[in-house]
Amino acid sequence: MATLVRLQARSKFVAQQYYFRNSVVDIFRKKEYDAAVKIQSWFRGCQVRAYIRNLHRVATIIQKWWRSYSGRQEYQLIVKFASCAMKMNLYNAMAVRIQRRWRGYRIRKYCFNYFYLKEYLKAVSETNDAIREALEEFAEMKEREEKKADLEREEKKRDYQARKTHYLLSTKQIPGIYNSPFRKDPDPWELRLQKAKPLTYQRSKVKQKRCISLSSWLACTSARSFPRSEILPPIDRKQCQGPFRDITEVLEQRYKPLEPTLWVAEPISELKVAREEFRRQEWMRDVNDNMISKLYYHHLISSQSTENYIQKLDKLSKVTFIFPGRRVPLRI
Amino acid sequence: MSQRQVLQVFEQYQKARTQFVQMVAELATRPQNIETLQNAGVMSLLRPLLLDVVPTIQQTAALALGRLANYNDDLAEAVVKGDILPQLVYSLAEQNRFYKKAAAFVLRAVGKHSPQLAQAIVDCGALDTLVICLEDFDPGVKEAAAWALGYIARHNAELSQAVVDAGAVPLLVLCIQEPEIALKRIAASALSDISKHSPELAQTVVDAGAIAHLAQMILNPDSKLKRQVLSALSQIAKHSVDLAEMVVEAEIFPVVLTCLKDKDEYVKKNASTLIREIAKHTPELSQLIVNAGGVAAVIDCIGSCKGNIRLPGIMMLGYVAAHSENLAMAVIISKGVPQLSVCLSEEPEDHIKAAAAWALGQIGRHTPEHARAVAVTNTLPVLLSLYMSTESSEDLQVKSKKAIKSILQKCTYLPALEPFLYDAPPNILKHVVGQFSKVLPHDSKARRLFVTSGGLKKVQEIKAEPGSLLQEYINSINNCYPEEIVRYYSPGYSDTLLQRVDSYQPLTH
């Protein structure tokens, strides 16, 4: 029992001692353990790194080879395309040359002639110049005509003025107002007055508006509008004061158309004309123009002597019948 | 009462009526009296006098009515409402030539104011009687009838058709051949009024053989007649190519060109209208006119007149140049462009300026040669100022903008483009810079000039959105120059240089 008590009292101490002796070793144990871990991790790390290095080296080699391979492929492609492009460029350039020549030729031959256009434009400008000149001339001509017409009108006016005032002409006794004795030579108006013929009093002429020829009447078809005379009488004619006839009767008489008798309608030189006619007919008819041959011919026909015949001819040409008051020519 | 005294009463009454009607007719010649006359009720007094026994009174009453109706359309309406027209028409058929002239004058005076009044005249059957009057032997009656028909046909196509259906056209063509100048004038004016409405009416006039006679009358020295004849021919030619060709076949060229030198302004205007109507249809007709030297004559005519008279000539040049580039070149060598630019700058009216701008646009839009010919005369700045100015009408602005755009798209003449860099609005600036970008890469002298004249500097100052067309053009211009020059001219470069000077530390050894 005592040992038990002694052991029980010592057990705590033993427990403590046991604990402390173990824990001292623990510290060393931890230290050694950490050191071992460190060494092992470092070594493992080196291993892995060497492995990775190897892997890198190998991967680089593979990639290097692969990249060179694919680069070469690309390069070949590039070269191929570059050569194709060069060839195409060459072909294009040559094609452009051909097309350029062809297009120029085609346009020049079939579509558009540049020189013809230039010629045309030159011709147009020449025509323009010609037209401009012609129009200038025309305008000048018109101006000249107008000026001339103006001058003539002025001249006529002055002439009319001179004719109206002819009484201002100077006489031997009295010098006129344009011929003052203090002047060296007379006023030009004086000379104009001398040349002018004095105006006589004239009833103002009925203005003939137009002379309508028969042919223009044919255009109008209405029967109503065919007049009998050229000028119709004015409408508001007042009845004149005095013993005058009715105006309608007078106008009827006045505008009665002329109906000459047959005798009056003959021309005056009827005898001469008839003689000429006769002579012409004889000349046409006769073979020979000589009088002697005519006589001979008639002598052959009739057995009369030449003197008788000549006398007869004389008588025939000279005889005229005389009616009371008038000479009527003999028709041969 | 003795017979004489009874008759004296009647004579007095007749004298009074005659005097009244003559005085009214005389008073009606002055416009200031007409109001008073109207207020005094002259219409209702004149009406019964139209039916008077004495022919003189009838005629003078008709004359007075005509003068009153001539003055304004209220009186003309009163004439229509007063049922005077049927009476007039009836007696037109019966009476003598003086009455016919007066009645035709009344019909003309009523018909000229408005289509409704003219329709009223047609409705009471006046057209047939007027056509019968056209056959009368007296030229005065024919003239009055033709005048009335012309005024009726003037308003619209239906009335013209009614006139044609009444058979007036062959008679009018006969009237043209009459020797009296006044009758010729009126007949030509009536034909012009008939044919202006539609191609069918013009064809009717042509079928009656009018063209040959009208063409002959161009040579007549009377200017008023020439006005009407040229107007008639231009109304016929304006409708279609066939009609224009028929007018040309009547051999009016080159005689018409002498009319361009006439003293009368309206003859010139109508002659250039005729040439314009012919030129606008096809290139062949324009070519014909160019070959006959018409372009030069029209250009001289434009130079010699002012205002509205010039307008048809300007339009004619535009039409000719619009057809093809050869014709435009023909216009250019006839010295048309300087004349058009003179018109553009000195005319006060907007519509004439618009026409000149349009014509210049048509000339310059074909090829770079044409654009150069237009640009050399310094018209582009004028066009730009017209486009930008706020006083120009909308039409003028639109037309000048179109002209500038179409010329700029072909213009390679750089000295004319440079001013545009400075004061053009952005939408035009785009085209200008585009043209520069097309020309500069190929021409070294132009590049040098561009730099020395300050154009490159201006281009750098233009602000453009990146990715827009303008930016692309600017980039292509910048690519033509070495980088240092581009940097030198870029805005703010002097500031950056100065900044560098400020921040520079001199090396101390």
Side-chain angles (χ1 to χ4, degrees), chain A residues 34 79 88 169 192 245 266 270 303:
Chain A
D34 285 338
V79 162
M88 289 312 291
L169 188 64
R192 200 180 271 275
R245 281 183 174 226
E266 299 285 352
E270 169 69 5
S303 54

Side-chain angles (χ1 to χ4, degrees), chain A residues 73-106:
Chain A
Q73 301 295 2
E74 262 185 45
Y75 162 75
Q76 273 166 12
L77 234 81
I78 288 173
V79 162
K80 197 163 88 164
F81 285 145
S83 74
C84 272
M86 255 177 58
K87 282 188 207 149
M88 289 312 291
N89 282 347
L90 180 73
Y91 299 151
N92 283 345
M94 295 303 118
V96 162
R97 274 193 209 171
I98 297 172
Q99 285 175 13
R100 180 173 35 195
R101 286 299 191 114
W102 163 250
R103 281 179 191 182
Y105 168 75
R106 184 182 76 107

Side-chain angles (χ1 to χ4, degrees), chain A residues 62-73:
Chain A
I62 296 173
Q63 283 177 6
K64 178 174 73 171
W65 278 100
W66 172 253
R67 279 177 190 172
S68 67
Y69 170 73
S70 64
R72 260 190 300 268
Q73 301 295 2

Side-chain angles (χ1 to χ4, degrees), chain B residues 202-272:
Chain B
Q203 189 63 46
T204 324
V205 171
V206 167
D207 289 337
I211 293 191
H213 299 112
L214 288 171
Q216 270 172 9
M217 291 204 289
I218 297 183
L219 295 165
N220 198 298
D222 184 52
S223 4
K224 291 206 175 108
L225 176 61
K226 274 197 274 209
R227 274 189 217 175
Q228 301 299 341
V229 164
L230 290 168
S231 151
L233 284 171
S234 61
Q235 303 289 7
I236 292 176
K238 79 179 181 189
H239 293 289
S240 80
V241 185
D242 297 317
L243 290 166
E245 280 178 3
M246 285 172 92
V247 171
V248 167
E249 273 165 24
E251 287 174 29
I252 51 173
F253 287 101
V255 178
V256 151
L257 303 178
T258 57
C259 296
L260 286 170
K261 276 281 188 189
D262 203 274
K263 288 230 175 11
D264 190 37
E265 300 283 324
Y266 287 98
V267 172
K268 282 197 229 184
K269 181 175 182 206
N270 288 352
S272 32

Side-chain angles (χ1 to χ4, degrees), chain B residues 78-90:
Chain B
V79 168
V80 171
K81 280 211 194 85
D83 267 342
I84 299 180
L85 290 178
Q87 173 58 35
L88 270 177
V89 169
Y90 176 68

Side-chain angles (χ1 to χ4, degrees), chain A residues 230-267:
Chain A
E230 283 190 358
I231 306 167
L232 287 182
I235 289 180
D236 53 351
R237 187 181 273 253
K238 290 194 288 268
Q239 181 76 1
C240 303
Q241 196 186 18
F244 296 114
R245 281 183 174 226
D246 184 25
I247 191 73
T248 42
E249 277 181 38
V250 167
L251 290 174
E252 218 171 311
Q253 284 278 16
R254 187 160 162 218
Y255 288 112
K256 199 155 64 170
L258 183 68
E259 294 158 26
T261 58
L262 201 60
W263 173 72
V264 165
E266 299 285 352

